[in-house]
Amino acid sequence: MGEIVSPKEVAAQEQFAEFQHLCDQMMFWINYKEVIVWPEDLKTEHDSQVILKQKYMKFNEEVAAQEGHFNEVMKLADLLIEGNHPEDIVIRRRKEELKQSWQRMRKLALKRQMFSQELAGAQPTEVVQPDEAKKLPSIQSVAAEAKLLRGLLEDFLRLEQFEKDCHPTKTWINETIVLMSDDGHLSPTNLNEKMENHKKLEEDVMSRKNRIEVLTKIQAHLTDVLKMWEVLLAATELKSIHMSQAWQLEKFNHGVDNMNAWLAEVEATLSSPDFGSDLPSAELLTKEHNLLERDIKTHKDIIDIIVTAAQQFSECGHFDLKTILSKKETVVKRFDGLTPLLAERQRKLGDSLKAYQLFHEIEMEEDWIAKKHEVIAGRGKDIDTVRALIKETQAILQAMQIHDPDVQRVIQAGQKLAKGHHLAEEINGRIQKLSEHWANLKERAFERKQSNQLVLLFLFQIKD
C-alpha cells in the first residue's frame, strides 16, 4: 500500500507549484524585456529619438502593469516562508533571484533613458536616480575630459596655422595665373626683356613645385583617411549592433534553456510508468496530473514570448538568426509534443483509478463471501443448534440470491475494464478468483444445508 498524503501536504505541494510557475513567468518576462531596454540603434535624428521615446513610454507602462504581479509573487513567497513551508530554502533563493533581476532591469531602463536624452541634446527630465548617480564627477573623469579637450584645441591650432600658410600660396598662384595669362608676349617688342621676366617667373614657379606636391600628397592621404574613417565608423556601428544583439541573444538563450529544463521535467513526469499502487496513490497522482495540466496551459504564455522574440530578431536581421529560429522551432515542437503525452497519461491514470476502485469493490465482495463461509462452517451439537444452522444457511442462500446481481456486475465491469488495460492480467486474475469464490460459496451453502438436514433427521431418529 502507498503512503497516504494528508490534505495539508497536498495543499503545500499545490502552493509550491504555483509559486514556482509565477517565478518562472516573471523571470522570463524580465529577461525578455531587458533586450529592449538598450536597443542597438541609438541615433541622434529627431525621428529616431521620437520613436525611441514612444517605445520607452510603452515599456514603462508595461513595467508598471507587471509591478503588481511582482509584488504578488513577493507576498506569496513571504507567506510560504512565514508558514514554515517544507521548501523554505528554495523559496528564499528564488525570491532573492527574482528581486535582483527586477532591480537590474529597472537600473538598465534608467541608464538607457539618460543616454538617449544625452544623444538627443535635450535636458534630462527629472528622474529618481540612485545615490551613485547623484555624486559629483571624480578627479580622474575631470582629468580625462581636460586631456581630451586639450587635444582638440591643439588640433584646432594646427588647422588654423595650416589655413594661414595656405592663404599666401593661394594668393601667389592667383597672381601668377594672371601674369601667365597676359597676351603681351604676342607683341614682337621688347622680347628679350619679356623672355628674361618669363624665365625668372618660370624658375619661381618650379621652386614652389615641391610645396604643391606636398599639398597634393596631403590631399591624397586625407582622401584615404576619410575613406578609412568611413569604414571604421561602419565597422564600429556594426559591432555595436552585434554586441547589443549578442546581449539580447544571451537573454533569449537563458529563457529557452529554462523552458527546455522545464520541458525535460514535464516529459519525464508524463513518461513515468508509475500510475499508482493502490487507490490513495492513484488518486494523488491524478491530482498532481491535474496541477501539471494547469501548469502546461500557463506556460503557453512563455512559448508565445519566445515566438514573438524570434520574430523580432528576424525583422531586425540578427547575426545569429539561424540558431535563434532553430532553437525556437525545437522548443515549440517539444511543447506541442506534450499534448499527446498529457492525453495518454491522463487516460492511463483514469484506467488505473478505475482498476483500483474495482479492486476495492472486489475486496468488499471477498470480505462478504468470507463472512458467509464462517457461518456455513459451523456445526450443531443438538436439534436446536442444527435447526438454527439450517435457518442461517437458508438465510445465506436467500441473501446470495439477492446479492448475486451485485457480484455479477463487478465481474462484468472487470471483464470490460480489462480490455486494453495495462493491468489487464491482474484484473482478470482477481475477477476469476471472485467468480470461483462465489461459485464455491453457493456450492458449500447448498451442501451444508443438505448435510444439516440429514443431521437433524438423524437426531430425531435417535430421540425417538
Side-chain angles (χ1 to χ4, degrees), residues 375 380 382-395 452 456:
V375 176
D382 52 36
I383 294 176
D384 293 334
T385 56
V386 172
R387 281 179 174 176
L389 286 174
I390 292 173
K391 187 176 181 181
E392 289 179 356
T393 303
Q394 183 63 36
N452 283 332
L456 182 62

Coordinates of all heavy atoms in Angstrom, one line a residue, residues 375 380 382-395 452 456:
V375 N -20.0 -18.6 8.7 CA -21.3 -19.1 9.2 C -21.6 -20.5 8.8 O -22.1 -21.4 9.5 CB -22.4 -18.1 8.8 CG1 -23.8 -18.6 9.2 CG2 -22.2 -16.7 9.4
G380 N -23.7 -28.1 14.3 CA -24.6 -28.2 15.5 C -24.3 -29.4 16.3 O -23.9 -30.4 15.8
D382 N -26.9 -30.4 18.8 CA -28.2 -30.9 19.2 C -29.2 -30.4 18.2 O -28.9 -29.7 17.2 CB -28.5 -30.5 20.6 CG -28.4 -29.0 20.8 OD1 -28.7 -28.2 19.8 OD2 -27.9 -28.6 21.9
I383 N -30.4 -30.8 18.4 CA -31.5 -30.5 17.5 C -31.7 -28.9 17.3 O -31.8 -28.4 16.2 CB -32.8 -31.1 17.9 CG1 -32.7 -32.6 17.8 CG2 -34.0 -30.6 17.1 CD1 -33.9 -33.4 18.4
D384 N -31.6 -28.2 18.5 CA -31.8 -26.7 18.4 C -30.7 -26.0 17.6 O -31.0 -25.2 16.8 CB -31.9 -26.2 19.8 CG -33.1 -26.7 20.6 OD1 -34.1 -27.0 19.9 OD2 -33.1 -26.7 21.8
T385 N -29.5 -26.4 17.9 CA -28.4 -25.7 17.2 C -28.3 -26.1 15.7 O -28.0 -25.3 14.8 CB -27.0 -26.1 17.8 OG1 -26.9 -27.5 17.8 CG2 -26.9 -25.6 19.2
V386 N -28.7 -27.4 15.4 CA -28.8 -27.8 14.0 C -29.9 -27.0 13.3 O -29.7 -26.6 12.1 CB -29.0 -29.3 13.8 CG1 -29.2 -29.7 12.4 CG2 -27.7 -30.0 14.4
R387 N -31.1 -26.9 13.9 CA -32.2 -26.1 13.3 C -31.7 -24.7 13.1 O -32.0 -24.1 12.0 CB -33.4 -26.1 14.3 CG -34.2 -27.4 14.2 CD -35.3 -27.4 15.1 NE -36.2 -28.5 15.0 CZ -37.3 -28.8 15.8 NH1 -37.5 -27.9 16.8 NH2 -38.0 -29.8 15.5
A388 N -31.0 -24.1 14.0 CA -30.5 -22.7 13.9 C -29.6 -22.6 12.7 O -29.6 -21.6 11.9 CB -29.8 -22.2 15.1
L389 N -28.7 -23.6 12.5 CA -27.8 -23.6 11.4 C -28.5 -23.7 10.1 O -28.1 -23.0 9.1 CB -26.7 -24.7 11.6 CG -25.6 -24.4 12.6 CD1 -24.8 -25.7 12.8 CD2 -24.8 -23.2 12.3
I390 N -29.5 -24.6 10.1 CA -30.3 -24.7 8.8 C -31.0 -23.4 8.5 O -31.0 -23.0 7.3 CB -31.3 -25.8 9.0 CG1 -30.6 -27.2 9.1 CG2 -32.3 -25.8 7.8 CD1 -31.6 -28.3 9.4
K391 N -31.5 -22.7 9.5 CA -32.2 -21.4 9.3 C -31.2 -20.4 8.7 O -31.5 -19.6 7.8 CB -32.8 -21.0 10.6 CG -33.6 -19.7 10.4 CD -34.3 -19.4 11.7 CE -35.2 -18.1 11.6 NZ -35.9 -17.8 12.8
E392 N -30.0 -20.3 9.4 CA -28.9 -19.4 8.9 C -28.5 -19.7 7.5 O -28.3 -18.8 6.7 CB -27.7 -19.4 9.9 CG -28.0 -18.8 11.3 CD -26.8 -18.9 12.2 OE1 -25.8 -19.5 11.8 OE2 -26.9 -18.3 13.3
T393 N -28.3 -21.0 7.2 CA -27.9 -21.4 5.9 C -28.9 -21.0 4.8 O -28.6 -20.5 3.7 CB -27.6 -22.9 5.8 OG1 -26.6 -23.2 6.8 CG2 -27.1 -23.3 4.4
Q394 N -30.2 -21.2 5.2 CA -31.3 -20.8 4.3 C -31.3 -19.3 4.0 O -31.4 -18.8 2.9 CB -32.6 -21.2 4.8 CG -33.8 -20.9 3.9 CD -33.7 -21.7 2.6 OE1 -33.2 -22.8 2.5 NE2 -34.2 -21.1 1.5
A395 N -31.0 -18.5 5.1 CA -30.9 -17.1 5.0 C -29.8 -16.6 4.1 O -29.9 -15.7 3.3 CB -30.8 -16.4 6.4
N452 N -26.9 -30.6 7.1 CA -27.6 -30.2 8.3 C -29.0 -30.8 8.4 O -29.4 -31.2 9.5 CB -27.7 -28.7 8.5 CG -26.4 -28.1 8.9 OD1 -25.5 -28.7 9.5 ND2 -26.1 -26.8 8.5
L456 N -30.2 -33.4 11.2 CA -31.4 -33.1 12.0 C -32.3 -34.4 12.0 O -32.9 -34.8 13.0 CB -32.1 -31.9 11.5 CG -33.4 -31.5 12.2 CD1 -33.0 -31.1 13.7 CD2 -34.1 -30.3 11.5

